Amino acid sequence: MQDDRSKKSEQEIDFGVLGEFLGYRLRRAQMNFFAKFGEVCEDLGISPGLFAVLAIVDRNPGLTQTAVAQALGNDRSAMVAAVDKLEGKNLLERRPAVNDRRSYALFMTEEGNRFFANAVERVSRYENEMAKCLKDDSEKEWLLDALERLANKSL
Amino acid sequence: MQDDRSKKSEQEIDFGVLGEFLGYRLRRAQMNFFAKFGEVCEDLGISPGLFAVLAIVDRNPGLTQTAVAQALGNDRSAMVAAVDKLEGKNLLERRPAVNDRRSYALFMTEEGNRFFANAVERVSRYENEMAKCLKDDSEKEWLLDALERLANKSL
DNA sequence: TTTCAAAACTTGATAAGGTCAACAATTGTT
DNA sequence: AACAATTGTTGACCTTATCAAGTTTTGAAA
């Protein structure tokens, strides 16, 4: 007679190799962060991806869409809809590039500056709240560094 | 005359707050891991999500679809297509649950055992390769622990 | 026993992201 | 002048995720 484990509670489940795999742990942690981002920024109508675009344009005014896409590791075709949305919200604008009529230069609007400052305020708050499960600031710095190394590691 | 930063190289880009945000760093690291998973397991026709299902069933034979979904943090309805695919590959099978005719009990097939062992071999290899950018085993353990804390942290 | 709420699986609709190939306009190079 | 490369864009496609129903079955309440 075989075991009936169908009703085993979640806490008794053996995750096997998943528990030792960085890829799985990274995914679970990131899913949690995205969920929290959604809760905190729900009324702002902005996603983590759009927030990242604003963050890049905010600190690097005049970049082309392709340059922003490369910075974020996205396809440049995906940037079209993103910039369309942000331009539709009057948060940034496309200006014709001065020396290349193929491309646009991206700039924040005044409303975009206010909006982004507010968004950073919210995201920083929940980031700090999440970071409370880390021992101290040095552990967070260490973690940020380790994550960057993993993000750039090639086989 | 405004700066022409449209051609700024990627390495000169200022990431601003993104560089301090765990959410962004987690996403970049996880994207890299998923990309590497795809490279290594390309011919196996399996995704990280399907691998996770196999890992759970492998160590917890007889679980229902819903139990697996809860363990992985997925919706029950998403498990249907996943199990369909894995059953179509003869890697696992649905058996009628002994005490509940509403649910199935999931079990690995013989082929599933061999397939999963092979997949774990590959994934372990690239996981270890990726972990070489960490100082030592203790740093990896520390990182796994920190990621688990972040995955379970609530606001 | 009868009734009713809840659970397990499934389906279908929907939405969001990501990838990819093409296209026109423009640029840079040969 | 001819050719290749780049930029923004579009459209197709795929994968996930989510959500609301609907069916069958279970378990508890009246």
Side-chain angles (χ1 to χ4, degrees):
Chain A
M1 176 181 178
Q2 78 194 10
D3 269 357
D4 177 15
R5 300 162 109 165
S6 61
K7 291 177 184 167
K8 179 193 292 186
S9 78
E10 184 177 349
Q11 295 173 349
E12 297 172 7
I13 287 187
D14 181 2
F15 281 76
V17 288
L18 290 185
E20 313 161 6
F21 282 167
L22 290 168
Y24 179 73
R25 293 288 180 93
L26 281 168
R27 177 175 184 273
R28 295 301 294 259
Q30 196 239 318
M31 288 289 97
N32 194 20
F33 269 76
F34 267 29
K36 298 297 181 297
F37 186 101
E39 293 175 15
V40 170
C41 297
E42 187 179 10
D43 58 320
L44 295 181
I46 205 176
S47 66
L50 294 181
F51 180 89
V53 172
L54 287 181
I56 296 295
V57 176
D58 178 63
R59 297 295 282 259
N60 308 270
L63 281 190
T64 65
Q65 292 184 186
T66 299
V68 175
Q70 287 175 342
L72 295 175
N74 298 332
D75 192 291
R76 69 179 193 276
S77 66
M79 200 59 51
V80 179
V83 175
D84 282 350
K85 286 178 188 171
L86 295 173
E87 203 175 27
K89 291 172 174 290
N90 287 318
L91 301 182
L92 55 77
E93 57 179 348
R94 288 183 242 234
R95 298 182 196 167
V98 290
N99 53 353
D100 190 337
R101 282 184 295 178
R102 291 171 301 180
S103 59
Y104 297 113
L106 301 179
F107 292 91
M108 303 283 282
T109 63
E110 282 302 319
E111 185 179 352
N113 286 325
R114 290 193 297 273
F115 179 95
F116 182 64
N118 180 30
V120 168
E121 178 76 15
R122 294 200 199 186
V123 177
S124 293
R125 208 149 37 207
Y126 98 74
E127 277 266 342
N128 289 333
E129 186 64 30
M130 298 291 282
K132 283 183 179 175
C133 68
L134 304 177
K135 297 179 182 63
D136 51 22
D137 279 1
S138 72
E139 188 176 20
K140 178 176 179 180
E141 291 305 315
W142 179 88
L143 178 57
L144 287 172
D145 182 65
L147 290 174
E148 187 177 27
R149 273 178 281 153
L150 290 173
N152 297 325
K153 184 79 170 65
S154 55
L155 289 183
Chain B
M1 175 181 178
Q2 77 191 9
D3 270 359
D4 176 17
R5 299 162 110 164
S6 62
K7 289 176 183 167
K8 182 194 289 186
S9 80
E10 184 177 351
Q11 294 172 350
E12 297 171 6
I13 286 187
D14 181 1
F15 280 77
V17 289
L18 291 185
E20 313 161 7
F21 282 166
L22 291 167
Y24 179 72
R25 293 288 181 92
L26 282 168
R27 178 175 182 274
R28 295 300 295 258
Q30 196 239 318
M31 289 292 96
N32 193 21
F33 269 76
F34 267 28
K36 297 296 179 297
F37 186 100
E39 293 175 17
V40 171
C41 296
E42 187 179 11
D43 59 317
L44 295 181
I46 203 175
S47 66
L50 294 180
F51 180 89
V53 171
L54 287 181
I56 296 294
V57 175
D58 178 64
R59 297 295 281 260
N60 308 272
L63 280 190
T64 65
Q65 293 184 185
T66 298
V68 175
Q70 287 175 343
L72 295 175
N74 298 333
D75 192 293
R76 301 171 273 286
S77 63
M79 200 59 51
V80 179
V83 176
D84 282 351
K85 287 178 187 170
L86 295 172
E87 203 174 27
K89 291 172 174 291
N90 288 319
L91 302 181
L92 56 78
E93 58 180 347
R94 288 183 241 234
R95 298 183 197 166
V98 292
N99 54 353
D100 189 339
R101 281 185 294 178
R102 293 171 300 179
S103 57
Y104 297 113
L106 301 178
F107 292 90
M108 303 284 282
T109 64
E110 282 303 320
E111 185 179 351
N113 286 325
R114 288 193 300 272
F115 178 95
F116 183 64
N118 181 30
V120 168
E121 179 76 16
R122 295 200 198 186
V123 177
S124 294
R125 207 150 36 206
Y126 98 75
E127 277 266 342
N128 289 332
E129 187 64 30
M130 298 291 282
K132 284 183 179 174
C133 69
L134 303 178
K135 296 178 183 63
D136 51 21
D137 280 1
S138 71
E139 187 178 20
K140 178 176 178 178
E141 291 304 316
W142 180 88
L143 178 57
L144 287 172
D145 183 65
L147 290 175
E148 187 177 25
R149 275 178 279 151
L150 290 173
N152 297 325
K153 184 77 169 67
S154 56
L155 290 184

